[in-house]
Amino acid sequence: MRVVIASCSVDYSGRLSAHLDRANRLIMVKADGSVLVHCDGGSYKPLNWMSPPARLTELEPDAEDREAGVVALWEVSSTKTDDRLVIRIHEIISDDSVDLGPEPGLLKDGVEAHLQELLAEQIEVLGPGHRLVRREYPTAIGPVDIMAKDSTGASVAVEIKRVGGIDGVEQLTRYLDLLGRDPLLAPVRGVFAAQTIKPQARVLAEDRGIRCVVLDYDAMRGMDDAESRLF
């Protein structure tokens, strides 16, 4: 991974256009081809980014850019679409590259990990006609718990929690925003699945068009004995 702190401006063009004025920012260039631009805030959500597969080319600034103080010009191009990220660097404050080595992956809470495994095996819990695409679907900002297709063939991203709170909804929202940029996946629907979903999280999810699904852990693992229930 290459980690650069620089004074830079950023322009994004593609399905939409966006501009970031010059400021000191963190630029992350990952081995998978993704490039993320961060500020000193906003948790771990980047200000702008390019998802893999992408190609980074370092160009010579033209006369107009040199006159404006640009010392380096980075063009990050998607290899699947016309999306392009142009980073104009005025000053490099630090530039480090580190080989992070193999990633062992996130070790989740035992119940949460088992819920993911069970839902992958019983994907029809989401509704008739659903089929599993992949568990731990990789993205530039982390793996989506489950990617699936619904009965119409539309992509469905599923975030699984033991207790579903607002943080989980925000996490899924970031995944949906990123996945929605991929023309091979878009449009992508979101499902927030948990044993218990907090009322505020449900309101936020439904306001964003995300479907909430309550998972019955005992029933999914075959331990739901209806005859033993008092209520």
Side-chain angles (χ1 to χ4, degrees):
M1 178 184 290
R2 184 179 180 186
V3 180
V4 178
I5 298 176
S7 173
C8 64
S9 64
V10 182
D11 289 280
Y12 185 93
S13 60
R15 291 189 307 152
L16 51 82
S17 297
H19 173 75
L20 295 171
D21 284 333
R22 178 182 175 182
N24 291 338
R25 297 188 176 94
L26 167 65
I27 306 169
M28 299 173 62
V29 183
K30 296 188 176 183
D32 64 2
S34 57
V35 177
L36 302 92
V37 181
H38 289 266
C39 65
D40 194 9
S43 188
Y44 51 85
K45 183 177 181 180
L47 294 168
N48 218 322
W49 67 90
M50 182 66 71
S51 304
R55 181 177 60 256
L56 189 156
T57 306
E58 299 190 30
L59 305 172
E60 283 294 325
D62 60 22
E64 183 179 351
D65 281 333
R66 286 197 301 270
E67 188 175 343
V70 176
V71 297
L73 183 69
W74 293 6
E75 182 178 275
V76 188
S77 304
S78 170
T79 60
K80 289 185 176 181
T81 69
D82 293 331
D83 288 11
R84 191 173 63 132
L85 193 69
V86 177
I87 304 173
R88 289 178 170 84
I89 297 175
H90 293 257
E91 178 188 3
I92 293 180
I93 300 168
S94 68
D95 187 347
D96 297 292
S97 295
V98 178
D99 182 0
L100 299 183
E103 171 54 51
L106 178 66
L107 298 178
K108 296 192 173 185
D109 168 86
V111 171
E112 193 172 302
H114 198 202
L115 279 171
Q116 183 191 117
E117 179 182 346
L118 289 169
L119 185 56
E121 295 172 351
Q122 304 171 38
I123 199 69
E124 70 278 358
V125 168
L126 301 180
H130 279 72
R131 59 182 177 85
L132 177 69
V133 173
R134 177 172 174 174
R135 292 173 57 190
E136 299 290 334
Y137 187 89
T139 78
I141 57 175
V144 178
D145 287 335
I146 287 179
M147 278 294 292
K149 295 282 188 180
D150 67 13
S151 59
T152 69
S155 299
V156 180
V158 186
E159 180 64 25
I160 300 171
K161 299 294 183 186
R162 187 171 60 83
V163 178
I166 286 178
D167 287 350
V169 178
E170 294 287 3
Q171 183 179 358
L172 178 55
T173 300
R174 288 190 287 271
Y175 288 143
L176 292 172
D177 184 35
L178 181 61
L179 293 168
R181 292 187 179 189
D182 188 338
L184 298 179
L185 295 174
V188 183
R189 299 173 183 170
V191 172
F192 189 50
Q195 282 184 277
T196 304
I197 299 177
K198 295 181 179 180
Q200 301 94 328
R202 181 180 290 275
V203 170
L204 180 62
E206 292 177 349
D207 182 65
R208 295 181 177 179
I210 295 170
R211 183 161 68 98
C212 293
V213 174
V214 176
L215 301 176
D216 187 332
Y217 183 48
D218 287 339
M220 292 175 72
R221 60 183 179 152
M223 297 183 65
D224 185 22
D225 185 356
E227 293 183 359
S228 67
R229 287 193 220 152
L230 294 177
F231 305 98

